[in-house]
């Protein structure tokens, strides 16, 4: 494979306190250019620690992390943060500007982006998240989903190579979640950047290329969403639930309905059942 | 305790240019011992509604009765302290309200304020702790050293330690992982049944409303939009869609299934294996026609 490695974790371990338990234990994985990887796990599995290590908010206790060829350390951390953009869980904690456009401009101002270029990027990134009509809106007038979309635009404006969404939908209502997943889909296609989504909601990993499942600070499995959805019982044991379609597919197979693979959505399952029905 | 709303309206900053009607002519009745889910979008009036249940807000118009308590625009009733003891509210992200040095002190704070004796509080904690899934070793720890899930349980224990008769839950599982969500909801449901509580659950989760509630109230722009049993409410897919609300996934799937196969499978609280069996049978019968 000649795809370029953008992120490398090499035997990374981490603990918050000297004598404390290892939050991450010898974790290794690669993420390639343009790839969408979902990292999932229950609360406390170590998934969010990975995100914080990726842009140098935390430094590994052991092992090394390479982002676009550069090792993450105290000297490179400021460069790394240009390459790694992050959106966090709480929409109310990440607004700095008095208006939507000020907020998107903030990160660029810090990096000395020229004014004309800034205007152009504000337009482009806010359009990408479908918030172009809210340029001068005050943040507190936005819904949670809209706030998170602006947060995504603010990160996109500094043109990172990797975008990390760390449970960015956890505090949103179902509408807000859909908005964000839709947006993420759009920009992954249009911007061609690497995307890391961290979540415990398996419904949100359906479109990812690859899934890394964390359990007790270690990688429990690296696989595809389709493969993962077949492992209902095992996932339940580590505190995760497969989505409804995967559960129903599993039960139908147990009853002897010969469904070939795990369905990712209703349409796929209905199609499989339709085929089964016409064969009988 | 029975809860009744009669033509309740609530207006924020009434008689100012900023006046905003958050609730408009809301009437409903929740029988003692029932479990009601209140559903609606952000801004639909859900939070305003639950603030009325323990007198944090008083109606601008209309009247609310909760057991023997009566709330109206006439001002706070004299016995509002008793009402607040009997109506326990678990707000969103309740762990943000932890503040004491130890878990035991934090839980005791509420009941102490209502003059419950320390021995009685200890007895309650003894009973409560296993119920909320905490071990007694944690009692002398600082609440700030606990994990997110444990903090949430401690905060919930603090509300339960007041021995409320009405339990109001504002999105109690937000931010928890799937196992945590299931454990917390099962715990509330068990308490609801064992202690014969009247429970009001504010949620975005149609799945939880279907699984736990015997009645659903849907709010839209400050008005009551629908009211009924979960199965009745979720039959009206189109009416829900009009206000951008969905139905639980199992019902949505069965609707799609019926449309595609020309069948009429209904959701009647089947378990997942039962549902699979029904679908299989239906497919077999269908093919022989």
């Amino acid at each position: 494979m000649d795809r370029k490695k953008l992120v490398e974790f090499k035997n990374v371990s981490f603990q918050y306190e000297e004598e404390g338990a290892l939050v991450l234990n010898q974790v290794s994985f690669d993420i390639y250019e343009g790839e969408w990887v979902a990292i999932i796990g229950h609360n406390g599995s170590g998934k969010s620690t990975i995100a914080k290590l990726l842009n140098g908010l935390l430094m590994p206790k052991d092992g090394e992390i390479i982002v676009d060829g550069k090792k993450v350390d105290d000297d490179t951390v400021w460069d790394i943060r240009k390459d790694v953009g992050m959106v966090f869980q709480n929409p109310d904690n990440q607004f700095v500007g008095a208006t939507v456009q000020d907020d998107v401009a903030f990160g660029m101002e810090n990096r000395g982006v020229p004014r004309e270029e800034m205007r152009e990027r504000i337009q482009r990134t806010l359009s990408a998240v479908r918030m172009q009509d809210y340029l001068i809106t005050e943040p507190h007038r936005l819904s949670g989903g809209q706030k998170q979309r602006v947060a995504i635009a603010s990160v996109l404006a500094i043109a990172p190579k990797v975008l990390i969404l760390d449970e960015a939908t956890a505090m949103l209502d179902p509408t807000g979640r859909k908005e964000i997943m839709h947006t993420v889909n759009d920009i992954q296609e249009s911007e061609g950047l690497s995307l890391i989504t961290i979540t415990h909601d398996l419904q949100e990993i359906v479109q990812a290329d690859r899934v890394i499942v964390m359990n007790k600070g270690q990688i429990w499995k690296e696989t595809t969403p389709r493969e993962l959805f077949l492992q209902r019982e095992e996932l339940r044991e580590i505190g995760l639930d497969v989505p409804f379609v995967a559960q129903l597919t599993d039960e139908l197979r147990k009853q002897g309905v010969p469904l070939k693979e795990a369905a990712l959505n209703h349409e796929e399952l209905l199609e499989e059942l339709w085929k089964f029905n016409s064969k009988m | 305790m029975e809860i009744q709303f009669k033509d309740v309206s609530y207006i924020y900053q009434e008689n100012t240019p900023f006046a905003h009607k958050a609730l408009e002519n809301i009437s409903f009745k929740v029988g003692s011992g029932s479990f009601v889910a209140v559903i609606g979008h952000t801004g639909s009036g859900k939070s305003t509604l639950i603030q009325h249940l323990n007198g944090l807000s008083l109606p601008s118009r209309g009247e609310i009765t909760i057991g023997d308590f009566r709330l109206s625009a006439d001002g706070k009733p004299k016995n509002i302290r008793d009402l607040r003891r009997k109506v326990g509210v678990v707000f969103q992200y309740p762990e943000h309200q932890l503040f004491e040095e130890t878990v035991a002190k934090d839980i005791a704070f509420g009941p102490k304020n209502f003059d419950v004796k320390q021995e009685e509080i200890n007895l309650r904690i003894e009973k409560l702790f296993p119920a909320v899934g905490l071990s007694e070793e944690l009692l002398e720890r600082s609440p700030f050293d606990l994990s997110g899930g444990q903090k949430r349980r401690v905060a919930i224990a603090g509300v339960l330690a007041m021995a409320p008769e009405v339990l109001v839950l504002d999105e109690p599982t937000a931010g928890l992982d799937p196992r945590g969500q299931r454990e917390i909801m099962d715990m509330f449901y068990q308490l609801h049944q064992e202690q014969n509580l009247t429970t009001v659950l504010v949620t975005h989760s149609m799945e939880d409303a279907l699984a736990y509630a015997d009645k659903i109230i849907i709010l839209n722009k400050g008005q009551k939009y629908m009211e009924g049993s979960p199965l009745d409410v979720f039959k009206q897919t189109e009416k829900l869609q009009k206000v951008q609300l969905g139905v639980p996934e199992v019902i949505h799937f069965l609707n799609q299934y019926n449309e595609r196969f020309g069948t009429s499978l209904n959701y009647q609280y089947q378990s997942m294996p039962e549902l699979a069996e029904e679908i299989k049978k239906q497919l077999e019968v269908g093919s022989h026609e």
Side-chain angles (χ1 to χ4, degrees):
Chain A
M1 242 188 273
D2 52 0
R3 280 186 309 170
K4 187 177 158 197
K5 270 185 204 169
L6 206 53
V7 174
E8 296 168 68
F9 259 59
K10 294 182 178 171
N11 298 314
V12 174
S13 295
F14 181 81
Q15 62 200 135
Y16 281 94
E17 285 161 35
E18 272 305 313
E19 303 298 314
L22 283 176
V23 182
L24 288 184
N25 187 359
Q26 298 280 321
V27 171
S28 302
F29 61 83
D30 299 325
I31 289 170
Y32 295 88
E33 220 172 28
E35 189 182 33
W36 179 349
V37 175
I39 300 179
I40 62 170
H42 58 82
N43 293 356
S45 61
K47 59 189 192 305
S48 284
T49 305
I50 292 181
K52 291 182 185 123
L53 285 162
L54 255 167
N55 76 345
L57 282 173
L58 299 171
M59 290 292 169
K61 163 105 183 147
D62 234 336
E64 54 181 23
I65 298 161
I66 318 271
V67 176
D68 198 22
K70 292 185 290 275
K71 184 179 166 197
V72 182
D73 59 30
D74 289 334
D75 298 327
T76 59
V77 65
W78 296 103
D79 282 336
I80 301 282
R81 286 190 191 156
K82 286 182 196 159
D83 292 340
V84 181
M86 257 175 113
V87 177
F88 297 95
Q89 193 181 93
N90 191 337
D92 293 319
N93 288 351
Q94 30 200 335
F95 259 101
V96 285
T99 64
V100 166
Q101 63 177 1
D102 285 357
D103 197 74
V104 181
F106 180 78
M108 291 189 279
E109 279 170 348
N110 282 335
R111 287 166 176 79
V113 176
R115 189 179 165 81
E116 275 316 300
E117 166 86 18
M118 241 161 58
R119 281 182 180 284
E120 188 269 321
R121 285 201 208 173
I122 288 172
Q123 282 295 344
R124 191 176 59 81
T125 58
L126 282 175
S127 303
V129 299
R130 287 173 294 125
M131 286 295 290
Q132 65 276 22
D133 298 335
Y134 295 83
L135 277 178
I136 53 165
T137 306
E138 295 164 39
H140 69 269
R141 301 199 179 274
L142 303 177
S143 71
Q146 289 174 326
K147 283 179 189 165
Q148 289 297 64
R149 274 147 68 192
V150 173
I152 292 175
S154 301
V155 172
L156 288 179
I158 55 166
K161 293 176 177 137
V162 188
L163 173 61
I164 304 174
L165 302 183
D166 186 3
E167 301 203 42
T169 62
M171 293 176 82
L172 304 181
D173 61 23
T175 320
R177 280 179 195 210
K178 268 186 216 144
E179 282 172 25
I180 295 303
M181 292 322 289
H182 195 125
T183 305
V184 165
N185 242 328
D186 283 358
I187 57 173
Q188 215 255 340
E189 281 170 18
S190 62
E191 312 274 321
L193 39 65
S194 299
L195 189 62
I196 301 175
T197 51
I198 295 171
T199 177
H200 52 234
D201 186 348
L202 269 70
Q203 198 70 56
E204 293 183 2
I205 69 166
V206 171
Q207 278 131 326
D209 301 311
R210 215 148 49 88
V211 192
I212 295 172
V213 188
M214 296 298 298
N215 187 38
K216 294 180 183 160
Q218 292 185 305
I219 293 186
W220 182 76
K221 201 152 275 179
E222 243 187 287
T223 180
T224 61
R226 213 179 277 284
E227 282 297 314
L228 189 66
F229 285 174
L230 291 173
Q231 291 156 18
R232 178 177 166 204
E233 309 292 339
E234 294 94 317
L235 280 169
R236 213 179 153 92
E237 273 166 33
I238 62 163
L240 296 171
D241 279 337
V242 296
F244 168 82
V245 250
Q247 291 180 28
L248 185 57
T249 306
D250 187 43
E251 289 298 339
L252 284 163
R253 287 157 73 111
K254 280 186 192 158
Q255 309 259 350
V257 179
L259 299 170
K260 254 185 280 145
E261 48 183 4
L264 288 180
N265 52 47
H266 291 189
E267 289 68 29
E268 285 186 13
L269 179 53
L270 287 169
E271 189 58 37
E272 282 294 310
L273 289 172
W274 186 256
K275 280 188 210 155
F276 169 69
N277 193 37
S278 31
K279 269 185 216 146
M280 280 190 66
Chain B
M1 293 203 290
E2 188 180 273
I3 302 170
Q4 188 163 14
F5 275 52
K6 272 188 218 150
D7 296 318
V8 171
S9 296
Y10 184 78
I11 302 156
Y12 281 103
Q13 307 192 10
E14 195 171 12
N15 302 324
T16 74
F18 305 107
H20 166 65
K21 221 173 208 183
L23 294 178
E24 205 175 340
N25 290 323
I26 300 229
S27 300
F28 63 82
K29 196 158 126 184
V30 174
S32 184
S34 73
F35 194 124
V36 58
V38 180
I39 299 177
H41 288 292
T42 312
S44 62
K46 296 180 310 235
S47 299
T48 308
L49 187 143
I50 59 174
Q51 281 165 13
H52 283 76
L53 292 174
N54 70 350
L56 280 176
S57 297
L58 295 173
S60 309
R61 317 258 185 285
E63 184 183 287
I64 300 165
T65 49
I66 300 165
D68 298 330
F69 301 91
R70 189 177 158 276
L71 299 171
S72 70
D74 305 341
K76 279 183 198 169
K78 281 206 185 84
N79 51 358
I80 196 148
R81 259 175 78 85
D82 295 331
L83 173 68
R84 291 195 176 144
R85 195 186 62 66
K86 288 186 175 168
V87 179
V89 185
V90 177
F91 287 103
Q92 268 183 54
Y93 298 96
E95 61 274 20
H96 294 171
Q97 299 167 41
L98 297 172
F99 72 102
E100 271 284 11
E101 284 168 20
T102 68
V103 167
K105 282 186 189 172
D106 207 293
I107 295 173
F109 181 77
K112 250 190 184 158
N113 268 299
F114 287 104
D115 306 319
V116 180
K117 294 218 170 61
Q118 187 62 46
E119 298 94 81
E120 168 65 17
I121 295 175
N122 292 343
L123 275 177
R124 288 186 189 176
I125 290 180
E126 212 174 287
K127 273 195 206 151
L128 264 174
F129 250 51
V132 298
L134 290 170
S135 78
E136 288 193 26
E137 299 150 30
L138 300 180
L139 280 172
E140 293 312 313
R141 296 258 297 272
S142 160
F144 300 102
D145 290 342
L146 307 180
S147 75
Q150 286 172 326
K151 280 186 200 166
R152 173 108 21 129
R153 285 161 204 264
V154 169
I156 289 169
V159 174
L160 295 174
M162 316 235 287
E165 292 172 33
V166 177
L167 195 54
V168 181
L169 312 168
D170 191 357
E171 293 198 55
T173 63
L176 298 179
D177 62 22
R179 180 189 290 168
Q181 291 180 11
R182 202 167 44 231
E183 283 173 0
I184 296 267
M185 280 315 298
D186 286 347
M187 171 198 89
F188 282 129
Y189 193 62
Q190 204 178 346
L191 286 168
H192 168 83
Q193 288 183 311
E194 283 173 5
Q195 305 188 9
N196 199 23
L197 302 173
T198 306
T199 305
V200 179
L201 168 72
V202 170
T203 184
H204 284 297
S205 165
M206 301 296 174
E207 323 297 327
D208 282 351
L210 180 65
Y212 301 105
D214 44 51
K215 178 189 195 125
I216 291 178
I217 293 172
I218 299 208
L219 295 181
N220 185 47
K221 294 180 182 159
Q223 295 180 322
K224 186 177 82 180
Y225 183 70
M226 286 169 96
E227 179 183 0
S229 75
L231 291 184
D232 282 341
V233 167
F234 291 135
K235 257 182 208 146
Q236 304 173 58
T237 312
E238 279 169 27
K239 190 165 180 189
L240 286 163
Q241 266 170 359
K242 257 189 206 156
V243 293
Q244 284 88 47
L245 289 172
V247 295
E249 198 175 354
V250 56
I251 292 177
H252 181 54
F253 179 79
L254 284 178
N255 289 346
Q256 287 179 314
Y257 182 91
N258 288 332
E259 200 173 302
R260 175 123 196 204
F261 291 86
T263 50
S264 51
L265 291 182
N266 270 325
Y267 183 68
Q268 300 287 348
Y269 292 102
Q270 298 96 323
S271 67
M272 203 61 88
E274 287 166 353
L275 205 60
E277 199 181 333
E278 251 181 72
I279 289 176
K280 189 189 172 210
K281 268 192 195 145
Q282 194 284 318
L283 286 172
E284 286 167 355
V285 172
S287 64
H288 293 300
E289 277 171 6

